[in-house]
Amino acid sequence: MQKGIIGKKVGMTQLFDERGNVIPVTVIEAGPCVVVQKKTVENDGYESVQLGFAEVREKLLTKPEKGHFEKAGVAPKRVLREFRLADVSGLNVGDIVKADVFAEGDHVDVAGTSKGKGFAGVIKRWGHHRLKMTHGTGPVHREVGSMGASTNMSRVPKGKKMPGQMGNERVTVQNLDVVKVDAENNLIALKGAIPGPKGGIVILADSVKKA
C-alpha cells in the first residue's frame, strides 16, 4: 500500500466529462486525518501509521483511549485505522493527511460496512428461484427447499446457502476511478458506487490490482 485515508460517504451525484458524458460518482469527505501513532520495525516488527478521523468529545473516551491521544499530543478522534504503507518515513505523529494525497486519474479500493437488511430468505439473500405456483406446492413457494440428502449425507452440508442476516458486513470495491479531488473542501469523487449508507465510514487505499 502506497497511500490511504479515512473518509465519510456523503452521497451520490453526477459529473460531466469534456465530451459531455454523464459520470455517476460517489462523493466522499476524505480527511483531514491526523497521524496518531507510527510503528517501526525496531519497536513493533513492521512499519505502519495509525490515522485518526472525525472529532469526538473527550468525555466519550475511555481512559486508555484518552491516554493514547494524550501521548500523541493530538485532539481526540472518533475513528482510528492503521495503514501498513510501503514507506512511512515521510509521516510523523501529528502530521495531517488530506484528500490531495490522491489525484484525478488514480485507482482506489474502497472498504466499508454494507447496509444491514435484517433477516432475509434465500430468494432475497441469494437470488434463488421460487417453487412453481401450482397445486401441491402449498404455502412454501419461497422456502429453501431440500437441504440435504436423506440417506447418504443426512445433514445440512457446510456452506449451504440458507436464510440469515443480509448485509452489515465488510465489503471492498476495487479499482474505482478518482474523477475529481477538491482538496480545499476535503472531497473526493469516485466513479461508481461504494458500500454503506450516507454518513458511513469508508477506507480509501490505492488499488492492489492494475486497473
Side-chain angles (χ1 to χ4, degrees):
M1 184 188 301
Q2 301 296 331
K3 49 191 175 182
I5 198 171
I6 309 171
K8 181 176 68 174
K9 181 177 178 179
V10 178
M12 292 198 69
T13 183
Q14 60 185 20
L15 299 177
F16 296 89
D17 61 11
E18 62 277 1
R19 297 183 178 180
N21 297 322
V22 176
I23 304 177
V25 297
T26 301
V27 180
I28 299 174
E29 181 186 342
C33 297
V34 61
V35 178
V36 180
Q37 185 181 17
K38 181 177 180 180
K39 295 187 177 181
T40 60
V41 177
E42 294 77 13
N43 295 332
D44 306 283
Y46 66 98
E47 289 186 340
S48 71
V49 290
Q50 185 186 69
L51 300 183
F53 173 71
E55 301 292 337
V56 64
R57 289 177 295 169
E58 186 175 321
K59 64 178 293 185
L60 299 179
L61 299 176
T62 63
K63 286 186 177 180
E65 290 172 339
K66 184 179 178 181
H68 183 64
F69 290 111
E70 288 179 349
K71 180 180 179 181
V74 300
K77 299 297 179 181
R78 184 179 299 275
V79 182
L80 293 175
R81 292 293 185 275
E82 185 175 296
F83 294 83
R84 298 189 66 167
L85 303 179
D87 183 17
V88 299
S89 59
L91 293 173
N92 294 302
V93 175
D95 290 351
I96 303 297
V97 179
K98 297 184 178 181
D100 56 5
V101 69
F102 292 101
E104 182 177 339
D106 288 349
H107 302 280
V108 298
D109 295 341
V110 181
T113 302
S114 62
K115 293 181 180 180
K117 300 183 179 180
F119 190 93
V122 292
I123 294 179
K124 180 178 179 180
R125 190 183 186 196
W126 303 109
H128 286 186
H129 291 284
R130 62 169 175 79
L131 300 178
K132 294 181 179 180
M133 297 293 289
T134 55
H135 291 288
T137 302
V140 294
H141 56 276
R142 293 179 64 91
E143 294 294 329
V144 63
S146 177
M147 291 182 288
S150 60
T151 55
N152 184 16
M153 187 169 290
S154 300
R155 60 181 174 83
V156 179
K158 291 184 178 179
K160 174 70 175 177
K161 292 181 178 179
M162 299 281 286
Q165 185 186 26
M166 183 177 180
N168 192 31
E169 58 185 1
R170 184 178 174 86
V171 178
T172 301
V173 180
Q174 296 181 324
N175 280 337
L176 295 181
D177 298 334
V178 178
V179 178
K180 188 175 181 179
V181 176
D182 186 350
E184 183 178 352
N185 296 310
N186 296 306
L187 298 177
I188 296 179
L190 302 178
K191 182 179 180 180
I194 65 173
K198 294 179 181 179
I201 299 297
V202 293
I203 307 298
L204 281 73
D206 53 326
S207 180
V208 297
K209 298 180 179 178
K210 292 184 179 180

